[in-house]
Amino acid sequence: MKRYVLISLGIGLLVALVVVIFYFLQIFDPLTVRLNAVFEKLGFYPAGGKKVHRLVWAEILVAVATSFWICWCLADLSQTAQKVIVFITFLILILGISPTLALYGILFEPFSALSALLLGTGAATIFASSEYGNRKRTLEKILGRRISPKTFDELLESPKPPNFEGQSREVTVLTCRIFNRVELAETLPPAEFLRMTNLFRRVISGYLASQGACLDEAGPEIVRSFFGILKNEPNHAEKAVRAALALKTALKTLNHECQTRWSLELRAGVGINSGRVISGIYGAREHFFFSGVGPEVDFSRRLATANLQYGSDLLIGPQTFTLVREVAEVRPMEMFYDPETGQLTEIYQLLAMKEQFGVSEREMRDHYWSGIILFREGKYQEAIESFGKARIPGIEDAPLEFFMAKAHLKLGESRGGNNPKSQLTGEGHSRLLGNL
C-alpha cells in the first residue's frame, strides 16, 4: 500500500500548505478576536486578571496534523459509515480543544484546524471517487479475504486496474478435498465434526491464500483456489505445484492435530490442473461471486478425488505437466478415457521440485516409470520386476503397491484366460475418470 499511502499523504500536504498560507495571511484573525470576546463574556478564562496568551506553534501543529490525518484516514477507509465516524470524531476533538485550553488561560484558535478538516475531507472524497481511489473498496467488495494481504497490496498498487469483466485467462486450479467426510460425520458428534471441518477449511485456505492463490470455494470438505486468475502470471502452474508440495506438510500437521484431538485420521488429497477459464463476476447485484468457469475446474476436483484410488496425495493433469516438466519431478499414474470428451488423458503424481530430488529418488522413480510402460505393453512379469526395484525399504508407497497388485492381477488373468473389461473402453483404457 506504499503508493496508496503516499498519494493520500501528498493530498494532505497540499491541504496543509493551503491552511498554513491562510494562517499567516491572518485570514482567521477576525474570527479569533470574536472567539476571545465570547470566552471573556462567558467567564472561561481564570479569575485574577491573569494575562491570556496563545500557543501559535500548537495551532499550526494541530492544523497540519489534521490535514494529514483526515486525508489518510478518509482515503484509506472504504466504508462510508466509517468515514462519517472519523469526521465527527475529528470535529469533536477540534471543537473541544479551544474551550478546554481557555479554562487554563490559553486562547487556542480552532478555525485553521477546522479549515484543514473541511478541505481535507473534500480532497479525500474527490480522490476516493476516482478509479484508483475507489480501487480498495472495489477489491474488498469483490475479493474480501479470499486473497492474502500481499496480493491485495499488489493489485492495489498496480498501474492498471484489475479486470473483473468476463475474460478468457490461462490459470492453474488447485483443489484440496477430504476423502473420509462421511466416515467423520458418522463418527463425530455434530459440533465436533463442525470444528474439524472448520479447522481444515481455515488451515488450507489460509495457506493457499498466503501463497498467492485466489480462493474460489472453501467448504466443509473442499477448498479450491486459482493461480493466475487475477492477473497474467506466466508461471502460474509452477507457483501452484510449489504451493501443493509445501501443502503436504500442512496436511500432515493437520492430520496429526486431528488424531490428537479426536483420535481420527483426516484423509485428504490435492488435484492440480491447468487450462483456460472464463473469469469474471457471476451472479446478481445482491449475490455475486468472482470465479472462473471451465472444464479444467471440474477436472481438478476429479484429480483430487482420484488420490483415493491410488493412495497418493498430489495429482496433476496433462496440461500442468507440460508447463512444469522442466522444474518438477513426477511419475505417471494411468491413462484415462473420459466419456464426456471422448479423449484419453494421462495424469501424474507430483513428487518434488527438481532441485529437491535426489539421485537415488530419481533412480527409484525411473524403475517405477519403466514398470508403468511395461504394464501398459502387457508385459506384466517384467513390470512386476521393475516395480520391485522401485521399492524403497522402510518407506510406504501406496501408488507403487497399487500398480504392483494390479500387475499381479493382470498376470493371473492372462494365465487363466480371464480378462474382464467391465471398467474398460474398447481399447482397454480405464473409465474411472467419468465416475469421479
Side-chain angles (χ1 to χ4, degrees):
M1 295 178 60
K2 183 177 179 181
R3 182 183 175 193
Y4 199 83
V5 172
L6 289 177
I7 291 178
S8 60
L9 292 180
I11 297 173
L13 177 61
L14 293 176
V15 172
L17 288 175
V18 171
V19 173
V20 170
I21 291 173
F22 286 172
Y23 186 90
F24 285 104
L25 291 176
Q26 300 180 350
I27 292 178
F28 306 115
D29 284 0
L31 294 174
T32 305
V33 172
R34 292 185 183 182
L35 180 64
N36 182 48
V38 170
F39 283 157
E40 288 181 348
K41 182 178 180 180
L42 297 178
F44 273 76
Y45 296 131
K50 292 183 178 180
K51 183 180 180 180
V52 176
H53 61 281
R54 292 178 61 181
L55 299 177
V56 175
W57 62 270
E59 294 172 353
I60 297 176
L61 180 61
V62 171
V64 171
T66 301
S67 302
F68 282 102
W69 279 104
I70 195 65
C71 289
W72 188 4
C73 291
L74 296 191
D76 187 59
L77 295 174
S78 57
Q79 299 297 323
T80 303
Q82 294 175 332
K83 295 182 179 183
V84 172
I85 292 174
V86 170
F87 177 83
I88 294 176
T89 301
F90 270 88
L91 182 62
I92 293 174
L93 289 174
I94 293 173
L95 294 178
I97 292 176
S98 188
T100 301
L101 293 180
L103 297 175
Y104 296 92
I106 300 173
L107 176 61
F108 182 87
E109 171 270 306
F111 305 108
S112 57
L114 288 173
S115 299
L117 177 64
L118 295 176
L119 290 174
T121 300
T125 302
I126 293 174
F127 170 67
S129 63
S130 66
E131 184 283 321
Y132 187 75
N134 193 46
R135 188 182 298 180
K136 182 177 181 181
R137 183 185 180 200
T138 301
L139 291 174
E140 288 179 346
K141 186 177 182 180
I142 295 176
L143 298 177
R145 297 185 178 181
R146 294 165 54 195
I147 57 177
S148 67
K150 180 181 178 182
T151 305
F152 188 95
D153 289 343
E154 290 175 354
L155 294 174
L156 187 62
E157 302 292 340
S158 174
K160 294 183 179 181
N163 187 355
F164 294 117
E165 302 297 328
Q167 59 178 322
S168 179
R169 194 185 290 276
E170 288 287 337
V171 304
T172 295
V173 190
L174 187 154
T175 302
C176 183
R177 188 174 188 180
I178 298 177
F179 301 146
N180 57 333
R181 176 184 60 83
V182 175
E183 175 188 344
L184 295 174
E186 293 176 348
T187 306
L188 290 171
E192 295 302 317
F193 175 76
L194 183 65
R195 290 188 181 93
M196 178 183 283
T197 54
N198 281 341
L199 177 64
F200 163 80
R201 179 182 183 273
R202 183 171 64 253
V203 170
I204 303 304
S205 61
Y207 176 80
L208 291 175
S210 71
Q211 298 302 304
C214 176
L215 297 176
D216 181 60
E217 179 182 350
E221 66 172 329
I222 187 171
V223 175
R224 182 171 61 236
S225 60
F226 291 104
F227 287 83
I229 197 171
L230 296 173
K231 57 182 179 180
N232 289 322
E233 294 184 83
N235 63 334
H236 56 83
E238 181 179 346
K239 290 181 65 176
V241 297
R242 288 187 181 276
L245 288 168
L247 189 61
K248 289 175 63 175
T249 303
L251 286 171
K252 290 180 180 178
T253 303
L254 179 62
N255 185 35
H256 177 72
E257 183 171 352
C258 291
Q259 289 177 332
T260 301
R261 294 175 59 177
W262 294 287
S263 299
L264 288 172
E265 182 181 10
L266 188 148
R267 299 195 301 274
V270 176
I272 308 171
N273 192 46
S274 304
R276 189 166 293 275
V277 300
I278 304 299
S279 67
I281 300 175
Y282 293 87
R285 178 179 298 180
E286 297 80 7
H287 302 92
F288 60 88
F289 198 78
F290 176 77
S291 183
V293 174
E296 285 72 18
V297 178
D298 183 61
F299 190 63
S300 172
R301 178 189 63 81
R302 295 183 179 190
L303 284 175
T305 305
N307 283 286
L308 182 62
Q309 166 93 0
Y310 306 111
S312 55
D313 45 17
L314 308 176
L315 292 178
I316 66 174
Q319 291 179 319
T320 304
F321 169 69
T322 301
L323 294 173
V324 302
R325 63 190 307 171
E326 300 299 326
V327 295
E329 296 287 354
V330 302
R331 62 183 184 181
M333 290 286 108
E334 284 188 288
M335 295 286 291
F336 285 116
Y337 172 78
D338 188 350
E340 296 181 5
T341 62
Q343 296 179 346
L344 286 172
T345 301
E346 184 166 27
I347 64 176
Y348 304 84
Q349 182 185 13
L350 179 63
L351 299 176
M353 304 307 293
K354 284 189 178 292
E355 65 271 16
Q356 301 169 342
F357 209 59
V359 176
S360 60
E361 293 173 312
R362 185 172 288 107
E363 182 180 354
M364 297 299 102
R365 190 276 314 276
D366 291 344
H367 284 309
Y368 170 93
W369 205 306
S370 298
I372 291 293
I373 295 175
L374 292 169
F375 177 82
R376 292 176 181 175
E377 292 176 349
K379 301 176 181 179
Y380 303 121
Q381 184 60 49
E382 292 88 338
I384 292 171
E385 295 174 0
S386 187
F387 286 142
K389 295 177 182 179
R391 280 178 168 156
I392 302 177
I395 297 179
E396 182 180 356
D397 191 339
L400 176 62
E401 298 304 324
F402 171 85
F403 285 106
M404 177 75 82
K406 197 168 184 179
H408 278 291
L409 178 62
K410 290 292 184 180
L411 182 61
E413 291 174 354
S414 62
R415 290 174 177 175
N418 181 23
N419 189 21
K421 297 185 178 181
S422 60
Q423 290 296 317
L424 303 178
T425 68
E427 293 76 22
H429 299 289
S430 172
R431 295 185 184 273
L432 176 64
L433 181 63
N435 300 324
L436 295 178

